[in-house]
Amino acid sequence: MKYNRCGRSGLLLPAVSLGLWHNFGDVDDFKTGRAIVRRAFDLGITHFDLANNYGPPPGSAEKNFGKILKQDLKPYRDELIISTKAGYLMWPGPYGEWGTRKYLLASLDQSLKRLGLDYVDIFYSHRFDLKTPLDETMSALESAVKQGKAIYAGISNYKPEQTTEAAKILRQFGTPCLIHQPRYSMFDRWVEDGLLDVLEKEGIGCICFSPLAQGLLTDKYLKGIPKDSRAAKPTGFLKREQVTEAVRKKVAALNELAKKRGQSLAQMALAWVLRDKRITTVLIGASKVKQLEQNVAALDNLSFAAEELNQIEKILS
Ligand SMILES: NC(=O)c1ccc[n+]([C@@H]2O[C@H](COP(=O)([O-])OP(=O)(O)OC[C@H]3O[C@@H](n4cnc5c(N)ncnc54)[C@H](OP(=O)(O)O)[C@@H]3O)[C@@H](O)[C@H]2O)c1
């Protein structure tokens, strides 16, 4: 595994991190999830990313990961970076979502219980809340850190100007913002439009989620929608309608280019995200151990010739 420094902090994160949004809920096969986590750790993936609402049902991914921690990884707690988040809908009533102190701190306590942990390594505000003062949301992250329930604070899905403001507030509190978690892949490039510049300026690390566009940036949908794929599953966030002919055409062209590089398309897509030095780590998902192994092997070839990057731009445009 290759480890990259997270922004201007001292923390090293693996270039490939594993997220538990899909494949770890009560609707999924626990044995497979357990095998994926164990293999990930053996491959040097020290960072596992969760959120209060991952499942389904919400909370079940944390509960199942807690079980794996207890069974397998307990002796290695100090070798692990475990994150969780709060921001999306978790329980009924006015205190079960968004960015108040009430919600964030109650949610973190619930997450720790499900995970069976005393603390997480990173606690995130999962989304910006227009109706709560940012000072209040950031003060909840600061309190979590000061109470020893989180080691670092992070933000996710914040726009560039919201990120600048959050970083300023957290710095004033003496709890610097460690990391930002945005979506970034060949198919979704919004971070290039200002966010990466802000992160570099503020010294904040960047962990990019859905770098494979939920599986679209692999060869799996080239000949249809496989039965065991995310797009086919009723609980999957990726919908069949998103696998369009236009997407397939681009993916087929990217796939040919990846073959010429001696990589799978998944590997090329991950290497492409990591080409920018401001990216700390790609946050992947996996439904099978084999996918995880293939994705980690992307690190064997991270360099791109200028001509290859040009070709990718042409295909994507
Ligand atoms: N902060 C946020 O708001 C936010 C939002 C979304 C996600 N996240 C985080 O990001 C993590 C990753 O998101 P993601 O799962 O969408 O990431 P992704 O890596 O883009 O997609 C993962 C999915 O692609 C397929 N796949 C992976 N490797 C493959 C390979 N080598 N060949 C073929 N198919 C492959 C698998 O789906 P199949 O089921 O089709 O096999 C896998 O579950 C989440 O777990 C979560 O931690 C954060």
Side-chain angles (χ1 to χ4, degrees), residues 19 21 49 156-157 181 210 212 214 220 230 287 291 295:
W21 179 33
D49 180 74
S156 178
N157 302 309
Q181 187 175 129
S210 300
L212 301 175
Q214 299 198 62
K220 75 181 332 148
R230 188 177 294 186
S287 67
Q291 292 176 349
N295 296 349

Side-chain angles (χ1 to χ4, degrees), residues 19-23 49 54 85 88 126 156-157 181 209-215 218 220-221 228-230 233 266 283-288 291 294-295:
L20 284 79
W21 179 33
H22 284 69
N23 310 309
D49 180 74
Y54 292 175
K85 324 182 187 78
Y88 288 95
H126 207 159
S156 178
N157 302 309
Q181 187 175 129
F209 73 78
S210 300
L212 301 175
Q214 299 198 62
T218 70
K220 75 181 332 148
Y221 295 112
D228 62 347
S229 65
R230 188 177 294 186
K233 288 183 190 162
L283 178 51
I284 60 160
S287 67
K288 296 174 182 65
Q291 292 176 349
Q294 187 191 115
N295 296 349

